[in-house]
Amino acid sequence: QEQLLLPTTYYHVVFTLPAELRRVVRANQRALINALFQAAFESLATLCSDPQWLGGRIGALAVLHTWTRTLEWHPHVHMLVPAGALAADGRTWLASRRRKPFLVPVRALAKHFRGRFLNLARRALPHVPLPQIPWGKRWVVFIKPAVREPQRVLQYLGRYVHRTALTDKAIVHCDDNTVSFTYRDSRDQQRKRMTLPAREFVRRFLQHVPPKGLHRVLKLGGPLFPRVAGLVCVS
């Protein structure tokens, strides 16, 4: 993937589902994880196609992440997105023209994502009632520029691909009845210890093993950025 990176700024974009939907997504992963990927990319691609922002077709590398630091179920998608798009001719590169690091407005993106995901979910599971979500509740989406090299973001995302939820060194004690592990609390950044009954620990851990055949990494947008050579850059 590092060999496919373009010589441009990249953005790290994260789409998170609200707590009300987590249980139904876990129970219907084949249908709703795919809907999560699709809704995230299509909402971002729609805004990026607007000439006010980029005015072209984008591509992205997306990685599924399902756990919190305490192993709770928390599905969200990380994307690595170039700060540019392809024009309609398929070879002209439309670079972001904004002076400050900016891709698209986050609030508008969150609204697009909400509407697209709920629409796809209802179509995928017409007989499954979706939980009620307060209309005023904001869906958490954030965008930040990859200030360091995009390779660092790839390394960060790669850790989600080759391991699930917890490293061996985080487990500090276990016996027939309990398992203790350490984690970093995102609220105060302090290292803390949690002890769970063995059955609960196993339940939390195994819920992050995806169903057979479910993809956790997707290259979205089709063959939009096959190589750098041949692109005409427009600043």
Side-chain angles (χ1 to χ4, degrees):
Q1 293 304 315
E2 290 183 2
Q3 294 176 2
L4 298 175
L5 290 174
L6 300 177
T8 184
T9 303
Y10 273 78
Y11 287 89
H12 183 188
V13 188
V14 182
F15 295 84
T16 303
L17 292 176
E20 291 86 348
L21 290 171
R22 292 173 191 168
R23 185 180 294 271
V24 69
V25 171
R26 186 178 59 188
N28 301 275
Q29 292 186 50
R30 289 189 181 278
L32 296 186
I33 292 299
N34 287 333
L36 172 58
F37 273 116
Q38 185 177 348
F41 180 72
E42 289 181 356
S43 58
L44 181 61
T46 297
L47 284 180
C48 287
S49 66
D50 188 330
Q52 184 178 4
W53 311 122
L54 287 177
R57 296 181 300 164
I58 64 166
L61 177 68
V63 178
L64 174 68
H65 187 195
T66 62
W67 55 85
T68 67
R69 292 173 181 176
T70 57
L71 305 183
E72 297 285 4
W73 175 261
H74 181 55
H76 53 288
V77 166
H78 292 258
M79 285 189 185
L80 187 61
V81 185
L86 284 183
D89 62 12
R91 62 185 302 271
T92 301
W93 179 253
L94 304 172
S96 176
R97 297 182 295 274
R98 297 180 176 270
R99 294 181 180 179
K100 294 183 178 180
F102 185 86
L103 188 61
V104 295
V106 174
R107 288 185 178 272
L109 180 60
K111 290 181 179 179
H112 272 270
F113 174 54
R114 172 188 175 124
R116 190 66 183 133
F117 178 82
L118 292 176
N119 179 265
L120 290 170
R122 292 187 181 109
R123 286 167 51 189
L125 301 171
H127 304 299
V128 176
L130 297 180
Q132 292 295 320
I133 304 173
W135 180 253
K137 182 169 185 175
R138 186 179 171 192
W139 289 38
V140 178
V141 174
F142 76 82
I143 305 173
K144 62 180 181 180
V147 178
R148 298 179 179 179
E149 307 85 28
Q151 290 88 340
R152 295 289 187 91
V153 181
L154 282 178
Q155 293 168 8
Y156 170 72
L157 298 180
R159 294 199 295 269
Y160 296 157
V161 179
H162 297 292
R163 76 182 191 198
T164 298
L166 198 70
T167 61
D168 290 343
K169 66 180 181 180
I171 300 176
V172 294
H173 176 77
C174 63
D175 54 37
D176 291 343
N177 300 309
T178 63
V179 177
S180 298
F181 62 92
T182 60
Y183 69 97
R184 187 178 299 279
D185 192 324
S186 59
R187 292 169 294 185
D188 57 17
Q189 298 303 313
Q190 296 297 310
R191 197 77 183 172
K192 298 181 179 180
R193 175 170 172 157
M194 175 173 285
T195 299
L196 296 173
R199 185 183 296 271
E200 171 62 13
F201 175 82
V202 172
R203 184 196 69 81
R204 290 195 189 190
F205 186 86
L206 291 182
Q207 68 182 341
H208 303 295
V209 179
K212 185 177 181 180
L214 182 70
H215 292 281
R216 293 173 58 177
V217 182
L218 292 179
K219 290 183 68 177
L220 300 165
L224 296 182
F225 309 109
R227 54 177 61 89
V228 177
L231 291 180
V232 178
C233 296
V234 178
S235 60

